[in-house]
Amino acid sequence: AEEDLLRHVSDVCVKGRGKLLIPAFSIGKTQELLYTLNSLSNDGRLPRIPVYVDSPLAISATEVARTHSMLFREAVRDELVHDPDLFAFPGVEFVRSPDRSKQLNGIKEPAIIIAASGMMEAGGSRHHLRNSLHDPANAVLVVGFCAPGTLGDQLLRGAEEVHLFGDTIPVRARIMRMDFYSAH
C-alpha cells in the first residue's frame, strides 16, 4: 500500500503539479491513510506537499485513536517508541473550521486533501470535487467501497460529468482506485 500511495502522490502532485483528493471514511480509512503517510514521511520518502485532513469527524476519531494507542497491534505500539504520534508529520494540517475548508478550494499548488465521505455522497469531499474535477492536473483516489448509484460509483464507472450542488461538472481529473484500503 505504501508504494502504491507514494506512486499516486508522486504522479499527481510532484510530476503533474495537481491536487490529489482522497475521499475517505472518517473512522478507520482516514487513520490508515495518515499512518501510511506518516510512515513514508518518517522514511524520508514523502515529498514535501501539504496534506489537509478536512473532516471534523475524522479529526475527532484520530484524537480518540491517539488516546487509545494501547489498543494498537503490538508492532504498531512498538513504533510509538520512536514516533509518539503515528498520525501527524511535517506538512499535515487538520482543518477544523468551515472557513479554512473553503480556502482549500482555492489552492492552486499541489496538495493532498483527505475529506469525508468515502462514497462522496456527503461531507467536504463534494465541495472539493466540485472545485477539482474539471482540472486534468488533479486526481481523485478512491480508497474504499462505493455502493452502486453513489457519486463515487459514478466516477469509478467513468462518468464524463457529474451533478454537484445544482451544477454540471465535467470530469477531467483522473479517477484512480486503491483496493488495498477497501474492507469490502
Side-chain angles (χ1 to χ4, degrees):
E2 272 188 13
E3 295 306 317
D4 288 340
L5 184 56
L6 183 60
R7 181 174 38 81
H8 291 309
V9 168
S10 179
D11 287 350
V12 174
C13 300
V14 177
K15 294 175 187 167
R17 308 287 304 148
K19 290 188 280 189
L20 180 61
L21 177 59
I22 308 176
F25 296 103
S26 296
I27 299 172
K29 292 290 181 242
T30 296
Q31 292 74 38
E32 287 180 57
L33 285 162
L34 288 171
Y35 175 79
T36 302
L37 291 167
N38 181 64
S39 294
L40 290 167
S41 178
N42 287 345
D43 292 345
R45 298 169 57 210
L46 184 66
R48 285 291 189 156
I49 295 164
V51 176
Y52 301 98
V53 180
D54 188 13
S55 166
L57 180 57
I59 294 168
S60 295
T62 303
E63 290 170 359
V64 169
R66 282 186 182 113
T67 60
H68 296 284
S69 59
M70 74 293 276
L71 299 175
F72 295 161
R73 295 186 321 262
E74 184 177 350
V76 175
R77 285 194 315 265
D78 291 345
E79 291 179 48
L80 291 167
V81 172
H82 305 290
D83 184 354
D85 189 346
L86 301 177
F87 304 112
F89 44 91
V92 69
E93 178 183 334
F94 293 90
V95 177
R96 289 179 166 83
S97 77
D99 287 340
R100 180 63 176 142
S101 178
K102 289 175 188 172
Q103 288 174 352
L104 298 181
N105 290 321
I107 290 176
K108 300 296 182 213
E109 66 270 0
I112 300 167
I113 301 173
I114 301 171
S117 79
M119 291 192 212
M120 301 166 242
E121 283 297 295
S125 66
R126 291 177 70 82
H127 293 279
H128 295 299
L129 288 165
R130 179 183 188 195
N131 290 284
S132 300
L133 281 174
H134 70 281
D135 188 341
N138 298 332
V140 178
L141 180 59
V142 180
V143 295
F145 174 76
C146 292
T150 62
L151 179 57
D153 176 61
Q154 291 173 41
L155 291 173
L156 285 170
R157 291 180 181 272
E160 294 182 11
E161 62 184 28
V162 294
H163 301 281
L164 288 162
F165 305 106
D167 295 328
T168 300
I169 310 296
V171 178
R172 296 190 188 110
R174 286 178 285 165
I175 310 300
M176 306 176 300
R177 173 170 215 120
M178 270 186 66
D179 289 320
F180 173 80
Y181 287 107
S182 182
H184 291 79

